[in-house]
Amino acid sequence: PFDRVRRALAATRRRLWARAGLSAAGWALAALGALALGVVLAGAAGGGPWLRPMGLALGSLGLLAIAALALVRPSWRYRRDDAVAEHIEQGLPALADGLRATVQFGREWPEVPGSPALVAQLAEGVADTLSDSDLPALTPYRAARRPWALAAAVAAAWGLLGLLAPGTLSRGFAALRPPVNAAGEIETGPLVGDLTLTLTYPAYVNRAPKVIPNSAGDFEAPKGTRITLQATNRHGGAAFPAHAAHAAF
């Protein structure tokens, strides 16, 4: 009977560890997704080069905290048969303290206090109760639903932002990427974005000046048009005048 009890305890422990792993994975996905979304939005709003290292640091700390609280702690708690036995007894009140007593007697068997026959009878009854019970139902995986629901909500937020404001995502990701010049080398100068073009048309066109905000730099204009360009400095977040520009035709 002691071996039957140990097998039941081992199966329940594996399920407890699996549930802890599912919860930890859900919390990790939700936390990393929310953090990444915040970093991208901060980049789109004009955040500086500190965003990437800060995001990596916060993500690493968050993963460590989730691993410690949602995975390591329950795994450490249920490493002993007594803790698993207590978990089962909470779901099967009919066992009272019989399962924990059987675990203790199993460690001492056959040198047990009192009558070995009575101890064996107790262990047999506990083993029969465990065999007749639905032990997996005592450790439902639905306890891991909340972190996965939160992860799904974060994924939905990403999807909605991609549908409703794709330009915001593009600017955010662009702000996080290091600038590269035509030779494929990483630029060390200031990173600029959110170009604002002001087109001053020649007199023969008889048109008022046109302002193109949040431009990628592409425009069409008649010959003789003067272009004034302003950009946002991603390093400082302030607007500044551009002293030189190159137009590709």
Side-chain angles (χ1 to χ4, degrees), residues 2-190:
F2 293 109
D3 289 337
R4 293 167 58 195
V5 170
R6 292 190 189 99
R7 287 194 294 270
L9 292 173
T12 301
R13 179 184 295 108
R14 288 192 297 271
R15 191 171 178 87
L16 285 166
W17 286 350
R19 187 175 70 177
L22 284 174
S23 294
W27 287 121
L29 286 175
L32 290 179
L35 176 62
L37 184 60
V39 170
V40 169
L41 290 177
W50 48 268
L51 279 174
R52 278 185 299 163
M54 184 199 71
L56 290 174
L58 290 178
S60 300
L61 291 175
L63 285 178
L64 288 175
I66 290 170
L69 296 176
L71 185 61
V72 176
R73 187 173 68 172
S75 298
W76 180 261
R77 175 185 177 186
Y78 292 115
R79 75 192 189 281
R80 293 180 57 85
D81 286 345
D82 301 84
V84 180
E86 182 180 2
H87 170 77
I88 294 176
E89 287 177 348
Q90 290 174 354
L92 294 176
L95 287 174
D97 295 331
L99 181 53
R100 279 178 287 179
T102 300
V103 169
Q104 182 62 35
F105 287 137
R107 296 194 187 103
E108 303 170 355
W109 184 264
E111 302 297 330
V112 294
S115 171
L118 290 178
V119 171
Q121 185 178 0
L122 170 66
E124 191 70 36
V126 168
D128 289 341
T129 301
L130 294 177
S131 299
D132 295 338
S133 301
D134 185 8
L135 294 182
L138 303 179
T139 312
Y141 286 139
R142 64 174 177 270
R145 288 179 181 175
R146 186 170 64 173
W148 283 98
L150 183 59
V154 172
W158 272 99
L160 285 175
L161 190 61
L163 288 174
L164 301 178
T168 300
L169 285 182
S170 298
R171 291 196 304 273
F173 283 119
L176 297 177
R177 290 194 299 268
V180 178
N181 59 23
E185 300 170 341
I186 295 178
E187 293 279 6
T188 57

Side-chain angles (χ1 to χ4, degrees), residues 193-198 211-217 227-232:
D194 294 339
L195 299 179
T196 299
L197 304 178
T198 302
V211 178
I212 307 176
N214 298 325
S215 171
I227 298 100
T228 303
L229 181 148
Q230 269 197 327
T232 299

